[in-house]
Amino acid sequence: MSASQKLDQAGVPSGPGSPPDSGSRVRATLTLGSVLLGYLIVPMAMSGTSVALPRIAADLGGSGGALQWVVTGYFLAASCLMLIAGSLGDLFGRRRIFAIGAVLYVASTAAAAFAPHVLVLDAARTLSGVGAAGVMAGGGAILGSSFEGPARTRAFAMVGTTVGVGLAFGPTFAGWLVSALGWRAMFGAFAGVGLLLVAGTLVLKESAAEHRPKFDLPGTIAFVLGIIGLMYGTNQVASAGWTSPRVLVFLGAGLLMLAVFVAVERRTEHPVLDLALLRGGPFTGWLLAALTTAVGTVGVLVYLPTYLQGAGDFSAGDAGTLMLAMTLPVLAVPPLTGKLVNQGVSARLLITLAIALIAGGNAWMTVLAPGSGAVQLVGPLLLIGVGNGLAAALIDAQAMEHVAPDRIGMASGLLNTARGGANALVLAVFGAALISLMQSEVGGRERAGRVAAGDLGGESHAFLAEQYTDAWHVVMWVVAALCALSALVINRLVGKNARTAAHPAEAAVPDKG
């Protein structure tokens, strides 16, 4: 099958001289299933591993930064390398990058299960993140190059649902395994499921750019160093403060390297990132939508359970149950969204509505108070969850409609890098903002940090809960305002070119750079 022969609504070749046949349908189903499996286990490993940290510390004796790197190393490697993996897929084959990523993920996760020392575990987890980058970027590129029209919309709607399942139930699945069998069994289970992913690569069709240019090594190095500087510097803000020399040095170095990266990409003939993708067209709008979704959802998802248990009267189980109001829509909404787009509903309208719902949910979340119960909070959580589900179903499929075939891997990698990096940065900035807003009132940054972590014990509980709540309100209003402003910009960028995926011939606007 040539590169121009895509898959139609049933998942069979629709190019000239390619009549539908059952073999093509089976291959399409296996392709989709293999990629979706990757999009399930990689997010699960991202969100679930933190549950095991106390057991790992007790067993291996790790603490502090070495222990936290079990999570951070995986996340940082995956975030930094998704763009690189996507571009490598365009050059050397998307299936090849997906397969290499899957094998590396399985091997390093199995090594983590047998790690004799926390530093060995850190190294194994970092390599797992490298493999995860290949799986995520390669998988998105495979779907983008294999499907078009309604089939592509449905495929990426399934991706949104699958990622939501992985992120939402990763902690639950990991917690059950750790409690029943130990942390080594958790990594062993992830590696075992990963073997199915490796087997699935055998049925995938290879695709790549028509011409294989020289790899952009200087741009790659500058990009990775820039992302590391920004992410590491931001992660130090909560403990050291925005004016700490350590924070400023890493943030400054990260920004400098990203400026170098842009300069290199402008001059190289075959960049790792074609800057034409970011010149204010529809693809830029969908990329901004991915970033905005992270801004509007991650802080609430991660930090609200801590508030409910520290300032409120919720148990851990009650808090987790309430958060289902935000996570369950991510499972239910994407399939419905795909149907709406394929029936002719404007993708531009839907993404604007999605970001507006996220903005409204964050604004509504200012009802939060120490005495808040599920009745008061289920409404704003549902709004944020529905908006997140809408966005998850739309962004990748619609963004790919505005990318030239030779840049599909690059675009997939950029979208996943944007999500991963934004999630990490939002988590760090959200927590740092809460601490900064409280520190002058509660007696210093260290005490504010303990409050933000849910430690409100002592006679001053009511006062600390009040300060904690006030900080939450400020952050929620800021997030709501940013999302509302972003919705207007996204609506303008996406513009009239954001046709539904049901009409790919009209929607596709290849950007040749």
Side-chain angles (χ1 to χ4, degrees):
M1 186 172 70
S2 68
S4 63
Q5 292 174 324
K6 302 286 186 174
L7 298 175
D8 68 6
Q9 296 183 41
V12 299
S14 59
S18 299
D21 62 81
S22 59
S24 296
R25 293 174 185 272
V26 171
R27 180 178 290 277
T29 301
L30 292 175
T31 295
L32 181 60
S34 298
V35 173
L36 289 180
L37 180 60
Y39 274 101
L40 175 67
I41 63 174
V42 168
M44 268 193 168
M46 284 184 175
S47 65
T49 303
S50 59
V51 174
L53 291 183
R55 291 286 190 93
I56 293 172
D59 191 11
L60 300 182
S63 62
L67 183 63
Q68 192 59 40
W69 195 257
V70 174
V71 175
T72 304
Y74 181 93
F75 208 105
L76 186 59
S79 299
C80 287
L81 296 177
M82 282 182 191
L83 172 61
I84 313 304
S87 293
L88 288 173
D90 288 336
L91 299 182
F92 303 107
R94 292 144 190 160
R95 174 193 172 278
R96 180 175 298 173
I97 293 301
F98 184 88
I100 292 172
V103 170
L104 182 57
Y105 175 86
V106 170
S108 54
T109 303
F114 294 97
H117 191 277
V118 68
L119 295 181
V120 177
L121 179 59
D122 288 343
R125 287 287 293 164
T126 302
L127 288 175
S128 295
V130 176
V135 170
M136 296 286 280
I142 288 169
L143 294 184
S145 62
S146 300
F147 297 89
E148 70 175 16
R152 177 185 281 177
T153 302
R154 283 196 297 271
F156 279 106
M158 293 179 189
V159 167
T161 299
T162 304
V163 171
V165 170
L167 289 173
F169 294 100
T172 302
F173 176 71
W176 177 80
L177 281 174
V178 171
S179 297
L181 302 172
W183 64 269
R184 296 184 187 276
M186 177 194 71
F187 288 125
F190 282 132
V193 176
L195 289 175
L196 297 177
L197 185 64
V198 173
T201 64
L202 300 176
V203 304
L204 300 178
K205 278 260 186 178
E206 186 61 279
S207 66
E210 293 183 4
H211 304 287
R212 182 184 295 180
K214 183 179 179 182
F215 181 61
D216 177 20
L217 183 59
T220 297
I221 293 173
F223 179 79
V224 170
L225 291 178
I227 295 296
I228 289 175
L230 283 183
M231 293 183 70
Y232 185 83
T234 305
N235 280 321
Q236 301 303 305
V237 171
S239 59
W242 289 102
T243 59
S244 166
R246 181 175 55 186
V247 170
L248 295 177
V249 166
F250 276 98
L251 290 179
L255 291 173
L256 176 61
M257 292 310 301
L258 289 180
V260 171
F261 170 71
V262 171
V264 170
E265 300 308 275
R266 284 178 173 173
R267 290 169 173 78
T268 187
E269 184 178 356
H270 303 292
V272 70
L273 173 61
D274 186 350
L275 297 179
L277 290 173
L278 306 178
R279 289 176 183 167
F283 181 85
T284 307
W286 293 108
L287 180 64
L288 179 59
L291 294 171
T292 305
T293 302
V295 171
T297 60
V298 173
V300 173
L301 181 64
V302 173
Y303 286 98
L304 183 60
T306 300
Y307 174 92
L308 296 175
Q309 296 172 71
D313 298 323
F314 282 69
S315 66
D318 290 339
T321 300
L322 177 61
M323 295 308 295
L324 290 175
M326 182 175 169
T327 56
L328 287 179
V330 182
L331 314 184
V333 172
L336 174 61
T337 305
K339 291 180 180 179
L340 291 175
V341 172
N342 286 335
Q343 291 173 2
V345 178
S346 167
R348 178 188 186 186
L349 172 64
L350 289 173
I351 193 59
T352 305
L353 174 62
I355 303 303
L357 287 175
I358 292 173
N362 278 275
W364 191 358
M365 187 59 70
T366 55
V367 301
L368 188 67
S372 296
V375 173
Q376 289 87 1
L377 300 178
V378 69
L381 288 174
L382 278 173
L383 274 192
I384 296 173
V386 171
N388 191 20
L390 279 170
L394 290 166
I395 291 172
D396 290 80
Q398 294 298 318
M400 294 301 177
E401 295 292 337
H402 304 279
V403 178
D406 285 358
R407 293 288 183 263
I408 284 179
M410 178 188 294
S412 175
L414 179 58
L415 285 168
N416 283 296
T417 294
R419 285 195 189 93
N423 286 339
L425 292 175
V426 168
L427 283 177
V429 172
F430 197 101
L434 291 175
I435 292 170
S436 297
L437 288 167
M438 289 189 290
Q439 65 177 357
S440 62
E441 301 294 334
V442 303
R445 191 167 196 87
E446 182 179 351
R447 184 66 179 118
R450 293 200 298 271
V451 173
D455 180 8
L456 281 71
E459 297 179 357
S460 57
H461 180 277
F463 171 76
L464 294 176
E466 179 183 356
Q467 300 305 315
Y468 195 9
T469 303
D470 289 344
W472 259 89
H473 288 176
V474 172
V475 173
M476 288 293 92
W477 281 120
V478 171
V479 170
L482 289 174
C483 291
L485 178 62
S486 184
L488 298 176
V489 177
I490 291 167
N491 183 274
R492 183 175 181 84
L493 287 173
V494 171
K496 295 181 180 180
N497 288 322
R499 309 291 180 85
T500 68
H503 306 286
E506 299 176 10
V509 184
D511 189 342
K512 299 292 185 183

